[in-house]
Amino acid sequence: MSSPLIQSLIEAFQVLPGVGPKSAQRMAFYLLERNRNGASRLADVLRDAVQNVGHCESCRTLTEEKVCQICASNHRDATLLCVVESPADIAVIEASGAFNGKYFVLMGHLSPIDGIGPAELGLELLEARLDKEPIQELIVATNPTVEGEATAHYIQQLADKYSVTVSRPAQGIPVGGELEYLDSSTLSQAFLSRKQLL
Amino acid sequence: MSSPLIQSLIEAFQVLPGVGPKSAQRMAFYLLERNRNGASRLADVLRDAVQNVGHCESCRTLTEEKVCQICASNHRDATLLCVVESPADIAVIEASGAFNGKYFVLMGHLSPIDGIGPAELGLELLEARLDKEPIQELIVATNPTVEGEATAHYIQQLADKYSVTVSRPAQGIPVGGELEYLDSSTLSQAFLSRKQLL
């Protein structure tokens, strides 16, 4: 490479998930050749976000305010609390429009091998909310992976102390999916949880 | 989305080639959750590059210096000049180690419909170099596309005025490729340009 600065830029782009040397080079040349305004804006917003985005004091999601917009809203059902692993999960649930309660973000899942225990997931804050807030149902929407299931189980036991219903989103055949291409765990789960037609 | 700043960051990432809303969201959350140092560095280097990277006065490639390292080098063969469409082409040719001459970067190809003519490709600068420098061979390594071929043809005619050999890189079957999966244009080119074994 004929330019150390461009080389540094190509290396810097490789911090992005799914971006290797080839894509990073394409990004660097593309921005420098064709979209310097977009590149400036990206640099500014990125710096701004790194400096100002922290965690919501109530739900732990990423936000630049002390309390995020969902936690601060009066239009959300405060009796429903949905526990998710990451802020990206909130984005996808909000996009579905299926939920109008509030959230609690673990920012991960229980993983003793990586030193991630209940404290790292902010479960004390969750308990404090279960204790003080008028929460009636706790929907534990951790991922249906081994770690996510273990985390859900732990949270279920923890919630037993409080008068709150604990639920998990249903598992089964995805809408628009084809049985032919479904993995057998999902299919057996879908048969186990079958619903009677009325 | 519960944060306007994160929303702006997700939009800003979409200036990158091949990055849509989903990947942009993944990048934003990944950097904010797990790699703020890498994000800071990316923001700094990106700003630095946008402000300082310009074009080499000799070969028009992207560089933060007045004359790029290849043009400034005494270890390159000044009798060979390779014309390419973009700085990314220099990167891949340098990686192959097959060429030790100097470069000239068009920063595009002839495209009258987009208003890109000889002036936009810096062909006057190329002619000035052919006139003054001890160039003996001009390797026209534009892409083997319709526009690239047209550009190569134009440059060939332009070089006729100077005592210089004009060549194009060979076309044929890629090394390690399989005939079975080759397109017919490449295959017919490979048969037309077949070489006698000695």
Side-chain angles (χ1 to χ4, degrees):
Chain A
M1 184 54 52
S2 54
S3 155
L5 183 51
I6 297 177
Q7 193 55 48
S8 302
L9 182 58
I10 293 172
E11 276 156 26
F13 269 125
Q14 291 178 54
V15 299
L16 296 173
V19 175
K22 269 278 170 189
S23 318
Q25 181 184 300
R26 185 163 159 244
M27 288 172 173
F29 284 132
Y30 172 83
L31 289 184
L32 291 172
E33 285 173 37
R34 312 221 194 132
N35 198 346
R36 294 203 177 209
N37 287 338
S40 291
R41 182 164 161 70
L42 174 57
D44 291 344
V45 176
L46 191 53
R47 167 135 311 286
D48 192 6
V50 167
Q51 282 169 349
N52 297 316
V53 171
H55 293 278
C56 171
E57 287 180 359
S58 170
C59 76
R60 294 179 25 110
T61 195
L62 292 168
T63 177
E64 69 270 31
E65 286 157 272
K66 288 186 77 146
V67 172
C68 77
Q69 290 185 351
I70 292 177
C71 286
S73 168
N74 292 323
H75 302 290
R76 314 278 310 199
D77 186 345
T79 65
L80 288 174
L81 188 68
C82 179
V83 178
V84 293
E85 291 188 21
S86 83
D89 299 331
I90 295 186
V92 71
I93 295 171
E94 286 297 294
S96 79
F99 180 70
N100 191 38
K102 301 202 171 186
Y103 293 96
F104 187 84
V105 186
L106 302 172
M107 301 301 291
H109 46 238
L110 288 178
S111 181
I113 234 173
D114 303 312
I116 299 173
E120 282 70 28
L121 301 182
L123 294 185
E124 285 173 22
L125 180 58
L126 177 63
E127 283 203 73
R129 287 186 67 177
L130 288 173
D131 196 30
K132 282 180 214 149
E133 296 183 18
I135 296 163
Q136 288 172 14
E137 183 174 352
L138 189 67
I139 304 172
V140 186
T142 53
N143 291 325
T145 56
V146 175
E147 297 89 350
E149 293 290 353
T151 309
H153 187 70
Y154 188 93
I155 290 171
Q156 186 192 352
Q157 290 189 311
L158 174 150
D160 268 357
K161 281 177 265 175
Y162 308 90
S163 58
V164 62
T165 310
V166 182
S167 62
R168 291 272 284 151
Q171 290 191 312
I173 304 169
V175 176
E178 290 183 48
L179 258 67
E180 188 179 348
Y181 299 108
L182 217 58
D183 63 293
S184 45
S185 324
T186 303
L187 202 58
S188 69
Q189 196 60 249
F191 271 78
L192 279 171
S193 313
R194 65 188 178 276
K195 279 167 80 177
Q196 191 175 357
L197 298 176
L198 301 173
Chain B
M1 184 55 51
S2 54
S3 155
L5 183 51
I6 297 177
Q7 193 54 47
S8 302
L9 182 58
I10 292 172
E11 276 156 28
F13 270 124
Q14 291 179 53
V15 300
L16 296 172
V19 175
K22 269 279 171 189
S23 318
Q25 182 183 301
R26 186 164 159 242
M27 289 172 172
F29 283 132
Y30 173 83
L31 289 183
L32 291 171
E33 283 172 37
R34 311 220 195 135
N35 197 348
R36 295 204 178 208
N37 287 339
S40 290
R41 185 165 157 68
L42 175 58
D44 291 344
V45 176
L46 191 54
R47 166 135 310 286
D48 192 5
V50 168
Q51 282 168 349
N52 296 316
V53 170
H55 293 279
C56 171
E57 289 180 358
S58 171
C59 77
R60 294 177 29 108
T61 195
L62 293 167
T63 178
E64 68 271 32
E65 287 157 271
K66 287 188 78 146
V67 171
C68 77
Q69 290 184 349
I70 293 177
C71 286
S73 168
N74 292 323
H75 301 291
R76 313 280 307 200
D77 186 345
T79 65
L80 288 175
L81 188 69
C82 179
V83 178
V84 293
E85 291 188 22
S86 83
D89 299 331
I90 296 187
V92 70
I93 295 171
E94 287 297 293
S96 79
F99 180 71
N100 191 37
K102 301 203 168 184
Y103 292 97
F104 187 84
V105 186
L106 301 172
M107 302 298 293
H109 46 237
L110 288 179
S111 180
I113 234 171
D114 302 313
I116 299 173
E120 283 70 29
L121 302 182
L123 294 185
E124 285 172 23
L125 180 57
L126 177 63
E127 282 203 74
R129 288 187 68 177
L130 288 173
D131 196 30
K132 282 180 211 147
E133 295 182 20
I135 297 161
Q136 286 170 14
E137 186 176 350
L138 189 68
I139 303 173
V140 186
T142 53
N143 290 326
T145 56
V146 174
E147 297 88 350
E149 294 290 354
T151 309
H153 186 70
Y154 188 92
I155 290 171
Q156 187 193 350
Q157 289 189 310
L158 175 150
D160 269 356
K161 282 176 264 176
Y162 309 90
S163 56
V164 62
T165 310
V166 181
S167 62
R168 292 271 286 152
Q171 292 193 309
I173 303 168
V175 176
E178 291 184 48
L179 258 65
E180 190 179 346
Y181 299 109
L182 219 57
D183 63 292
S184 45
S185 323
T186 303
L187 202 57
S188 68
Q189 198 59 249
F191 271 78
L192 279 172
S193 314
R194 65 189 177 276
K195 279 167 81 177
Q196 192 175 356
L197 299 176
L198 301 173

PDB file of all heavy atoms in Angstrom, chain A residues 138-163:
ATOM      1  N   LEU A 138     -43.339 -11.070  34.083  1.00  0.00           N
ATOM      2  CA  LEU A 138     -41.963 -10.948  33.637  1.00  0.00           C
ATOM      3  C   LEU A 138     -41.800 -11.889  32.444  1.00  0.00           C
ATOM      4  O   LEU A 138     -41.875 -13.112  32.591  1.00  0.00           O
ATOM      5  CB  LEU A 138     -41.027 -11.359  34.786  1.00  0.00           C
ATOM      6  CG  LEU A 138     -39.535 -11.112  34.628  1.00  0.00           C
ATOM      7  CD1 LEU A 138     -39.238  -9.621  34.610  1.00  0.00           C
ATOM      8  CD2 LEU A 138     -38.765 -11.790  35.760  1.00  0.00           C
ATOM      9  N   ILE A 139     -41.595 -11.314  31.240  1.00  0.00           N
ATOM     10  CA  ILE A 139     -41.407 -12.143  30.045  1.00  0.00           C
ATOM     11  C   ILE A 139     -39.914 -12.296  29.820  1.00  0.00           C
ATOM     12  O   ILE A 139     -39.229 -11.318  29.526  1.00  0.00           O
ATOM     13  CB  ILE A 139     -42.072 -11.487  28.818  1.00  0.00           C
ATOM     14  CG1 ILE A 139     -43.549 -11.219  29.101  1.00  0.00           C
ATOM     15  CG2 ILE A 139     -41.893 -12.351  27.580  1.00  0.00           C
ATOM     16  CD1 ILE A 139     -44.251 -10.411  28.025  1.00  0.00           C
ATOM     17  N   VAL A 140     -39.402 -13.521  29.997  1.00  0.00           N
ATOM     18  CA  VAL A 140     -37.955 -13.725  29.878  1.00  0.00           C
ATOM     19  C   VAL A 140     -37.630 -14.101  28.434  1.00  0.00           C
ATOM     20  O   VAL A 140     -37.744 -15.267  28.035  1.00  0.00           O
ATOM     21  CB  VAL A 140     -37.463 -14.795  30.870  1.00  0.00           C
ATOM     22  CG1 VAL A 140     -35.943 -14.869  30.830  1.00  0.00           C
ATOM     23  CG2 VAL A 140     -37.929 -14.470  32.281  1.00  0.00           C
ATOM     24  N   ALA A 141     -37.234 -13.109  27.634  1.00  0.00           N
ATOM     25  CA  ALA A 141     -36.993 -13.333  26.206  1.00  0.00           C
ATOM     26  C   ALA A 141     -35.503 -13.440  25.907  1.00  0.00           C
ATOM     27  O   ALA A 141     -34.995 -12.828  24.972  1.00  0.00           O
ATOM     28  CB  ALA A 141     -37.645 -12.209  25.389  1.00  0.00           C
ATOM     29  N   THR A 142     -34.789 -14.251  26.713  1.00  0.00           N
ATOM     30  CA  THR A 142     -33.386 -14.531  26.381  1.00  0.00           C
ATOM     31  C   THR A 142     -33.372 -15.457  25.173  1.00  0.00           C
ATOM     32  O   THR A 142     -34.393 -16.057  24.824  1.00  0.00           O
ATOM     33  CB  THR A 142     -32.674 -15.210  27.562  1.00  0.00           C
ATOM     34  OG1 THR A 142     -33.455 -16.343  27.957  1.00  0.00           O
ATOM     35  CG2 THR A 142     -32.542 -14.268  28.743  1.00  0.00           C
ATOM     36  N   ASN A 143     -32.215 -15.576  24.511  1.00  0.00           N
ATOM     37  CA  ASN A 143     -32.139 -16.431  23.316  1.00  0.00           C
ATOM     38  C   ASN A 143     -32.371 -17.898  23.663  1.00  0.00           C
ATOM     39  O   ASN A 143     -31.990 -18.341  24.742  1.00  0.00           O
ATOM     40  CB  ASN A 143     -30.763 -16.290  22.658  1.00  0.00           C
ATOM     41  CG  ASN A 143     -30.580 -14.925  22.035  1.00  0.00           C
ATOM     42  OD1 ASN A 143     -31.532 -14.342  21.517  1.00  0.00           O
ATOM     43  ND2 ASN A 143     -29.364 -14.411  22.094  1.00  0.00           N
ATOM     44  N   PRO A 144     -32.988 -18.669  22.741  1.00  0.00           N
ATOM     45  CA  PRO A 144     -33.207 -20.098  23.006  1.00  0.00           C
ATOM     46  C   PRO A 144     -31.950 -20.922  22.773  1.00  0.00           C
ATOM     47  O   PRO A 144     -31.969 -21.914  22.059  1.00  0.00           O
ATOM     48  CB  PRO A 144     -34.328 -20.462  22.018  1.00  0.00           C
ATOM     49  CG  PRO A 144     -34.186 -19.484  20.904  1.00  0.00           C
ATOM     50  CD  PRO A 144     -33.574 -18.239  21.477  1.00  0.00           C
ATOM     51  N   THR A 145     -30.834 -20.474  23.385  1.00  0.00           N
ATOM     52  CA  THR A 145     -29.568 -21.216  23.328  1.00  0.00           C
ATOM     53  C   THR A 145     -29.347 -21.826  24.705  1.00  0.00           C
ATOM     54  O   THR A 145     -30.097 -21.533  25.639  1.00  0.00           O
ATOM     55  CB  THR A 145     -28.404 -20.253  23.047  1.00  0.00           C
ATOM     56  OG1 THR A 145     -28.417 -19.235  24.057  1.00  0.00           O
ATOM     57  CG2 THR A 145     -28.562 -19.589  21.684  1.00  0.00           C
ATOM     58  N   VAL A 146     -28.308 -22.645  24.848  1.00  0.00           N
ATOM     59  CA  VAL A 146     -28.023 -23.257  26.143  1.00  0.00           C
ATOM     60  C   VAL A 146     -27.821 -22.163  27.212  1.00  0.00           C
ATOM     61  O   VAL A 146     -28.438 -22.204  28.277  1.00  0.00           O
ATOM     62  CB  VAL A 146     -26.773 -24.164  26.058  1.00  0.00           C
ATOM     63  CG1 VAL A 146     -26.417 -24.687  27.447  1.00  0.00           C
ATOM     64  CG2 VAL A 146     -27.032 -25.318  25.109  1.00  0.00           C
ATOM     65  N   GLU A 147     -26.997 -21.150  26.893  1.00  0.00           N
ATOM     66  CA  GLU A 147     -26.712 -20.090  27.866  1.00  0.00           C
ATOM     67  C   GLU A 147     -27.971 -19.257  28.153  1.00  0.00           C
ATOM     68  O   GLU A 147     -28.220 -18.880  29.296  1.00  0.00           O
ATOM     69  CB  GLU A 147     -25.616 -19.149  27.351  1.00  0.00           C
ATOM     70  CG  GLU A 147     -24.270 -19.811  27.133  1.00  0.00           C
ATOM     71  CD  GLU A 147     -24.131 -20.391  25.739  1.00  0.00           C
ATOM     72  OE1 GLU A 147     -25.149 -20.452  25.012  1.00  0.00           O
ATOM     73  OE2 GLU A 147     -23.017 -20.791  25.379  1.00  0.00           O
ATOM     74  N   GLY A 148     -28.731 -18.988  27.089  1.00  0.00           N
ATOM     75  CA  GLY A 148     -29.951 -18.192  27.255  1.00  0.00           C
ATOM     76  C   GLY A 148     -30.972 -18.915  28.113  1.00  0.00           C
ATOM     77  O   GLY A 148     -31.632 -18.312  28.968  1.00  0.00           O
ATOM     78  N   GLU A 149     -31.102 -20.240  27.908  1.00  0.00           N
ATOM     79  CA  GLU A 149     -32.046 -21.043  28.694  1.00  0.00           C
ATOM     80  C   GLU A 149     -31.616 -21.092  30.157  1.00  0.00           C
ATOM     81  O   GLU A 149     -32.448 -20.966  31.068  1.00  0.00           O
ATOM     82  CB  GLU A 149     -32.118 -22.480  28.143  1.00  0.00           C
ATOM     83  CG  GLU A 149     -32.724 -22.613  26.747  1.00  0.00           C
ATOM     84  CD  GLU A 149     -34.229 -22.330  26.699  1.00  0.00           C
ATOM     85  OE1 GLU A 149     -34.841 -22.163  27.762  1.00  0.00           O
ATOM     86  OE2 GLU A 149     -34.770 -22.277  25.575  1.00  0.00           O
ATOM     87  N   ALA A 150     -30.290 -21.246  30.391  1.00  0.00           N
ATOM     88  CA  ALA A 150     -29.777 -21.286  31.768  1.00  0.00           C
ATOM     89  C   ALA A 150     -30.044 -19.947  32.464  1.00  0.00           C
ATOM     90  O   ALA A 150     -30.460 -19.903  33.626  1.00  0.00           O
ATOM     91  CB  ALA A 150     -28.280 -21.585  31.761  1.00  0.00           C
ATOM     92  N   THR A 151     -29.832 -18.867  31.725  1.00  0.00           N
ATOM     93  CA  THR A 151     -30.074 -17.535  32.280  1.00  0.00           C
ATOM     94  C   THR A 151     -31.556 -17.361  32.615  1.00  0.00           C
ATOM     95  O   THR A 151     -31.909 -16.832  33.682  1.00  0.00           O
ATOM     96  CB  THR A 151     -29.626 -16.458  31.258  1.00  0.00           C
ATOM     97  OG1 THR A 151     -28.287 -16.747  30.836  1.00  0.00           O
ATOM     98  CG2 THR A 151     -29.673 -15.072  31.867  1.00  0.00           C
ATOM     99  N   ALA A 152     -32.421 -17.833  31.701  1.00  0.00           N
ATOM    100  CA  ALA A 152     -33.865 -17.732  31.927  1.00  0.00           C
ATOM    101  C   ALA A 152     -34.267 -18.505  33.187  1.00  0.00           C
ATOM    102  O   ALA A 152     -35.067 -18.028  33.993  1.00  0.00           O
ATOM    103  CB  ALA A 152     -34.614 -18.271  30.707  1.00  0.00           C
ATOM    104  N   HIS A 153     -33.673 -19.708  33.340  1.00  0.00           N
ATOM    105  CA  HIS A 153     -33.980 -20.550  34.504  1.00  0.00           C
ATOM    106  C   HIS A 153     -33.580 -19.834  35.799  1.00  0.00           C
ATOM    107  O   HIS A 153     -34.341 -19.804  36.771  1.00  0.00           O
ATOM    108  CB  HIS A 153     -33.225 -21.872  34.364  1.00  0.00           C
ATOM    109  CG  HIS A 153     -33.583 -22.870  35.414  1.00  0.00           C
ATOM    110  ND1 HIS A 153     -34.812 -23.501  35.458  1.00  0.00           N
ATOM    111  CD2 HIS A 153     -32.879 -23.335  36.475  1.00  0.00           C
ATOM    112  CE1 HIS A 153     -34.851 -24.303  36.498  1.00  0.00           C
ATOM    113  NE2 HIS A 153     -33.687 -24.232  37.132  1.00  0.00           N
ATOM    114  N   TYR A 154     -32.387 -19.220  35.780  1.00  0.00           N
ATOM    115  CA  TYR A 154     -31.893 -18.496  36.956  1.00  0.00           C
ATOM    116  C   TYR A 154     -32.833 -17.341  37.298  1.00  0.00           C
ATOM    117  O   TYR A 154     -33.192 -17.134  38.461  1.00  0.00           O
ATOM    118  CB  TYR A 154     -30.480 -17.983  36.674  1.00  0.00           C
ATOM    119  CG  TYR A 154     -29.810 -17.379  37.882  1.00  0.00           C
ATOM    120  CD1 TYR A 154     -28.996 -18.144  38.714  1.00  0.00           C
ATOM    121  CD2 TYR A 154     -30.002 -16.039  38.205  1.00  0.00           C
ATOM    122  CE1 TYR A 154     -28.393 -17.603  39.828  1.00  0.00           C
ATOM    123  CE2 TYR A 154     -29.405 -15.480  39.327  1.00  0.00           C
ATOM    124  CZ  TYR A 154     -28.601 -16.274  40.131  1.00  0.00           C
ATOM    125  OH  TYR A 154     -28.010 -15.732  41.245  1.00  0.00           O
ATOM    126  N   ILE A 155     -33.254 -16.602  36.268  1.00  0.00           N
ATOM    127  CA  ILE A 155     -34.131 -15.442  36.491  1.00  0.00           C
ATOM    128  C   ILE A 155     -35.503 -15.904  37.004  1.00  0.00           C
ATOM    129  O   ILE A 155     -36.107 -15.255  37.865  1.00  0.00           O
ATOM    130  CB  ILE A 155     -34.267 -14.613  35.192  1.00  0.00           C
ATOM    131  CG1 ILE A 155     -32.939 -13.918  34.889  1.00  0.00           C
ATOM    132  CG2 ILE A 155     -35.395 -13.580  35.311  1.00  0.00           C
ATOM    133  CD1 ILE A 155     -32.874 -13.250  33.540  1.00  0.00           C
ATOM    134  N   GLN A 156     -35.957 -17.047  36.517  1.00  0.00           N
ATOM    135  CA  GLN A 156     -37.246 -17.576  36.965  1.00  0.00           C
ATOM    136  C   GLN A 156     -37.207 -17.873  38.475  1.00  0.00           C
ATOM    137  O   GLN A 156     -38.124 -17.498  39.223  1.00  0.00           O
ATOM    138  CB  GLN A 156     -37.555 -18.866  36.198  1.00  0.00           C
ATOM    139  CG  GLN A 156     -38.944 -19.407  36.499  1.00  0.00           C
ATOM    140  CD  GLN A 156     -39.127 -20.819  35.964  1.00  0.00           C
ATOM    141  OE1 GLN A 156     -38.259 -21.321  35.238  1.00  0.00           O
ATOM    142  NE2 GLN A 156     -40.232 -21.447  36.308  1.00  0.00           N
ATOM    143  N   GLN A 157     -36.102 -18.516  38.917  1.00  0.00           N
ATOM    144  CA  GLN A 157     -35.955 -18.831  40.346  1.00  0.00           C
ATOM    145  C   GLN A 157     -35.893 -17.563  41.191  1.00  0.00           C
ATOM    146  O   GLN A 157     -36.493 -17.472  42.260  1.00  0.00           O
ATOM    147  CB  GLN A 157     -34.697 -19.667  40.559  1.00  0.00           C
ATOM    148  CG  GLN A 157     -34.860 -21.078  39.998  1.00  0.00           C
ATOM    149  CD  GLN A 157     -33.715 -21.979  40.403  1.00  0.00           C
ATOM    150  OE1 GLN A 157     -32.557 -21.599  40.265  1.00  0.00           O
ATOM    151  NE2 GLN A 157     -34.029 -23.167  40.889  1.00  0.00           N
ATOM    152  N   LEU A 158     -35.147 -16.584  40.677  1.00  0.00           N
ATOM    153  CA  LEU A 158     -34.975 -15.305  41.356  1.00  0.00           C
ATOM    154  C   LEU A 158     -36.322 -14.581  41.501  1.00  0.00           C
ATOM    155  O   LEU A 158     -36.585 -13.916  42.507  1.00  0.00           O
ATOM    156  CB  LEU A 158     -33.981 -14.502  40.532  1.00  0.00           C
ATOM    157  CG  LEU A 158     -33.608 -13.062  40.786  1.00  0.00           C
ATOM    158  CD1 LEU A 158     -32.174 -12.853  40.317  1.00  0.00           C
ATOM    159  CD2 LEU A 158     -34.530 -12.119  40.058  1.00  0.00           C
ATOM    160  N   ALA A 159     -37.200 -14.728  40.475  1.00  0.00           N
ATOM    161  CA  ALA A 159     -38.478 -14.006  40.476  1.00  0.00           C
ATOM    162  C   ALA A 159     -39.512 -14.665  41.381  1.00  0.00           C
ATOM    163  O   ALA A 159     -40.538 -14.058  41.717  1.00  0.00           O
ATOM    164  CB  ALA A 159     -39.020 -13.902  39.053  1.00  0.00           C
ATOM    165  N   ASP A 160     -39.229 -15.916  41.799  1.00  0.00           N
ATOM    166  CA  ASP A 160     -40.158 -16.663  42.655  1.00  0.00           C
ATOM    167  C   ASP A 160     -40.477 -15.919  43.948  1.00  0.00           C
ATOM    168  O   ASP A 160     -41.568 -16.048  44.516  1.00  0.00           O
ATOM    169  CB  ASP A 160     -39.561 -18.044  43.001  1.00  0.00           C
ATOM    170  CG  ASP A 160     -40.003 -19.100  41.996  1.00  0.00           C
ATOM    171  OD1 ASP A 160     -40.799 -18.745  41.096  1.00  0.00           O
ATOM    172  OD2 ASP A 160     -39.544 -20.248  42.093  1.00  0.00           O
ATOM    173  N   LYS A 161     -39.482 -15.138  44.426  1.00  0.00           N
ATOM    174  CA  LYS A 161     -39.654 -14.402  45.682  1.00  0.00           C
ATOM    175  C   LYS A 161     -40.707 -13.300  45.591  1.00  0.00           C
ATOM    176  O   LYS A 161     -41.202 -12.800  46.578  1.00  0.00           O
ATOM    177  CB  LYS A 161     -38.321 -13.756  46.089  1.00  0.00           C
ATOM    178  CG  LYS A 161     -37.348 -14.708  46.728  1.00  0.00           C
ATOM    179  CD  LYS A 161     -36.029 -14.001  47.021  1.00  0.00           C
ATOM    180  CE  LYS A 161     -35.021 -14.226  45.892  1.00  0.00           C
ATOM    181  NZ  LYS A 161     -33.774 -13.468  46.083  1.00  0.00           N
ATOM    182  N   TYR A 162     -40.988 -12.862  44.363  1.00  0.00           N
ATOM    183  CA  TYR A 162     -41.899 -11.727  44.172  1.00  0.00           C
ATOM    184  C   TYR A 162     -43.200 -12.243  43.553  1.00  0.00           C
ATOM    185  O   TYR A 162     -43.204 -13.250  42.852  1.00  0.00           O
ATOM    186  CB  TYR A 162     -41.240 -10.687  43.273  1.00  0.00           C
ATOM    187  CG  TYR A 162     -39.859 -10.315  43.764  1.00  0.00           C
ATOM    188  CD1 TYR A 162     -38.743 -11.015  43.328  1.00  0.00           C
ATOM    189  CD2 TYR A 162     -39.688  -9.321  44.717  1.00  0.00           C
ATOM    190  CE1 TYR A 162     -37.480 -10.703  43.803  1.00  0.00           C
ATOM    191  CE2 TYR A 162     -38.428  -9.005  45.210  1.00  0.00           C
ATOM    192  CZ  TYR A 162     -37.325  -9.716  44.752  1.00  0.00           C
ATOM    193  OH  TYR A 162     -36.091  -9.424  45.263  1.00  0.00           O
ATOM    194  N   SER A 163     -44.280 -11.573  43.808  1.00  0.00           N
ATOM    195  CA  SER A 163     -45.559 -12.046  43.267  1.00  0.00           C
ATOM    196  C   SER A 163     -45.681 -11.594  41.813  1.00  0.00           C
ATOM    197  O   SER A 163     -46.255 -10.566  41.494  1.00  0.00           O
ATOM    198  CB  SER A 163     -46.715 -11.480  44.096  1.00  0.00           C
ATOM    199  OG  SER A 163     -46.658 -10.069  44.100  1.00  0.00           O
TER     200      SER A 163
END
